[in-house]
Amino acid sequence: MTPPTPPTPPAPATVAGRALSDWSREGRFGTWYALGPADADEPPLGVLRIHRALLAPGGAQERLTSAVRSVAKLRLPGVPATVDLVREAGDVWLIVARPPVRTVADLLATGAPGLDGGSAASVLNETAQTLLALHAAGLAHGSLTPDRVVLAPDGTAQLTEAALTTALAASDASPQDADVTAWAALARTLGTAWAAPGTPAAELLARCSAAAGSDGLAAARTTLTSGRTALPRDFLRRTALRTAAAAASAELAEPATESATPAEPTEPALLDVAPDARDTVLGKRHRTTPATPLTPTLDGGEGADEIVLRFGPGVPRSEEEALRALWEAPAPAPVRRRRRRAGRLAAAGALAVVAVVLWLLLRPTPGPAVTAVRVTAPPQRLTCGGTADVTGVVTTDGHAGPFEYRWLRSDGQRSEVLTRTARGGEHEVPVHLRWTVRGPGRFQGTARLQVLRPGTPPLEAEAAFTYACAG
């Protein structure tokens, strides 16, 4: 007899220092909740409580950690930003920048007003871009169904639970192939639900679904972008999708009271980390604001392998231009343009070679390395109107080149910064200060030599002489 599955313990009042709201949604890998904001001006976060049974098999926790990190590195705008992955109150929690509301499944179920073929095409275009970026990085979404597609505040489509299928669910099928099949099914579903039968938009979405099944996801997206004239003229405004996204805030209940004490972790972390972060995997424990997207230049020199999904060239001048950039499909450059580009590249390369040669010829010679300084003064007493020849010796590594120095006198005078050029093989370079003293009386003069070295304190040495004049 199979033992009964132990019941899931109740959720704690707080996670990572934030109040857990009463709103929740069941997902394939656990339960989604909303985390209350740290202050009134911040939006709530989303948090997925991973089913404990999925983490029981050997290596599951390590695979989960690797999948979350790999997706976070890509910084895809079509995936909610990862804030942290923590173990708390005996559970593992994946914290993201926003709760998964509203989903496309919600819109299909409620029949949100105003949705049309342009709305369907917008969702399909954005999800296709995200999937293609994941696939190019060797990842996949997996389990792509309408309840895994959520609307961002601006109405764009994002994918939740990216790469969790490959980490937590065993399957013989290729996750990337499953993504393509699921996207084709999503195109059929949205085309049927949101595009009027027999219209150019409905026919376009049907062609996209067929192209995904026969030629792959990239070909399907090309079919979609090249046929956008079949869509409503104002589809880039995505008015209905924005309205549906704005209504999502009403689905989130008020967070529970924040008077409860945060639960302390009761189990070891998923990874061996520092003692002050023992309950966090990604190292952002109790972060109160969503994490800044991981920079394109990643630690460890990973920037060269980074895949960043960008919508359009540069920063668009208006929001409508940004939406239009979503639909720009790359086209092959004409042969003549490629030739002009090749000519410009050749000219630029020649100029670069000339610049390097000139720099090598005209660059200033680096100065020698100074290792020591000493100063000597005349041992005999200086008499009336006499001049002391104070000699400094600068010890170098023998390389040729200039160095800078100055003299400081005990009577408050100092020289300008002076330059002396050492010859190659000259390890001791002399410099002189001639100090003339006049008038009756007795005087002891001290001369200090400073050799200036950029970026480090100067090397110094000093010597003294005496002066006596009876008048």
Side-chain angles (χ1 to χ4, degrees):
M1 177 181 296
T2 302
T5 303
T8 302
T14 61
V15 174
R18 289 175 178 249
L20 202 68
S21 78
D22 294 332
W23 175 90
S24 65
R25 176 193 299 278
E26 288 300 319
R28 181 181 180 190
F29 305 103
T31 304
W32 283 98
Y33 299 90
L35 284 180
D39 57 56
D41 296 331
E42 292 182 0
L45 303 179
V47 59
L48 175 63
R49 185 188 194 186
I50 307 291
H51 286 316
R52 293 185 179 184
L54 296 176
L55 297 172
Q61 296 180 0
E62 290 76 11
R63 290 193 300 271
L64 173 64
T65 302
S66 177
V68 170
R69 283 180 167 168
S70 297
V71 173
K73 285 180 182 179
L74 300 182
R75 302 190 327 144
L76 300 179
V79 176
T82 300
V83 176
D84 208 346
L85 180 65
V86 301
R87 178 185 287 281
E88 190 163 302
D91 286 299
V92 175
W93 305 79
L94 172 62
I95 305 175
V96 298
R98 56 185 310 274
V101 291
R102 293 201 170 167
T103 67
V104 169
D106 296 333
L107 305 184
L108 290 170
T110 60
L115 297 173
D116 56 14
S119 304
S122 295
V123 171
L124 292 171
N125 179 43
E126 289 142 21
T127 53
Q129 288 193 83
T130 303
L131 291 174
L132 289 170
L134 288 171
H135 295 178
L139 302 170
H141 185 279
S143 184
L144 177 62
T145 52
D147 60 333
R148 295 342 184 232
V149 183
V150 65
L151 295 183
D154 62 355
T156 58
Q158 294 184 325
L159 301 181
T160 64
E161 303 182 5
L164 296 189
T165 295
T166 55
L168 300 175
S171 175
D172 296 332
S174 165
Q176 295 187 359
D177 292 343
D179 282 348
V180 177
T181 301
W183 188 91
L186 182 64
R188 290 193 300 272
T189 299
L190 297 184
T192 301
W194 295 351
T199 60
E203 295 174 357
L204 172 63
L205 298 179
R207 291 199 306 273
C208 292
S209 178
S214 60
D215 302 319
L217 191 56
R221 181 176 177 262
T222 299
T223 300
L224 181 62
T225 55
S226 61
R228 62 180 179 173
T229 55
L231 303 174
R233 299 183 64 179
D234 62 346
F235 81 98
L236 286 176
R237 297 180 182 177
R238 65 185 69 211
T239 304
L241 293 172
R242 290 175 182 271
T243 301
S249 58
E251 299 184 21
L252 301 179
E254 289 297 322
T257 175
E258 298 186 7
S259 61
T261 301
E264 290 299 323
T266 59
E267 299 183 32
L270 300 185
L271 297 178
D272 292 329
V273 292
D276 59 349
R278 287 179 52 184
D279 52 355
T280 180
V281 174
L282 300 185
K284 308 179 186 69
R285 176 77 166 94
H286 291 211
R287 186 186 292 266
T288 57
T289 57
T292 303
L294 301 179
T295 61
T297 52
L298 302 173
D299 292 339
E302 295 169 331
D305 298 329
E306 181 186 22
I307 297 174
V308 179
L309 180 61
R310 301 194 183 277
F311 291 161
V315 179
R317 289 176 297 178
S318 70
E319 188 172 359
E320 188 168 335
E321 289 184 14
L323 297 176
R324 188 175 294 110
L326 287 167
W327 290 83
E328 293 181 355
V335 175
R336 183 176 304 172
R337 182 179 177 183
R338 285 200 297 267
R339 288 175 179 172
R340 287 201 300 267
R341 183 180 299 169
R344 289 196 297 268
L345 290 175
L351 289 175
V353 171
V354 171
V356 170
V357 172
L358 289 176
W359 179 80
L360 291 173
L361 292 175
L362 302 178
R363 63 176 174 169
T365 303
V370 177
T371 58
V373 177
R374 68 178 187 272
V375 177
T376 58
Q380 65 276 17
R381 180 181 300 172
L382 206 61
T383 58
C384 300
T387 298
D389 183 6
V390 183
T391 303
V393 178
V394 179
T395 304
T396 75
D397 60 355
H399 286 84
F403 62 86
E404 295 182 334
Y405 68 98
R406 67 184 173 192
W407 290 100
L408 287 75
R409 300 188 340 192
S410 58
D411 63 353
Q413 302 295 316
R414 66 173 58 195
S415 71
E416 299 293 332
V417 175
L418 307 170
T419 301
R420 175 74 155 82
T421 300
R423 298 187 299 271
E426 187 179 17
H427 290 275
E428 293 190 345
V429 183
V431 293
H432 295 271
L433 170 67
R434 299 187 182 278
W435 187 345
T436 301
V437 184
R438 293 185 176 90
R442 298 181 62 86
F443 172 77
Q444 179 172 334
T446 301
R448 181 189 308 167
L449 173 63
Q450 287 186 337
V451 179
L452 309 177
R453 300 180 300 168
T456 60
L459 284 178
E460 298 183 350
E462 64 182 30
F465 64 91
T466 59
Y467 171 84
C469 177

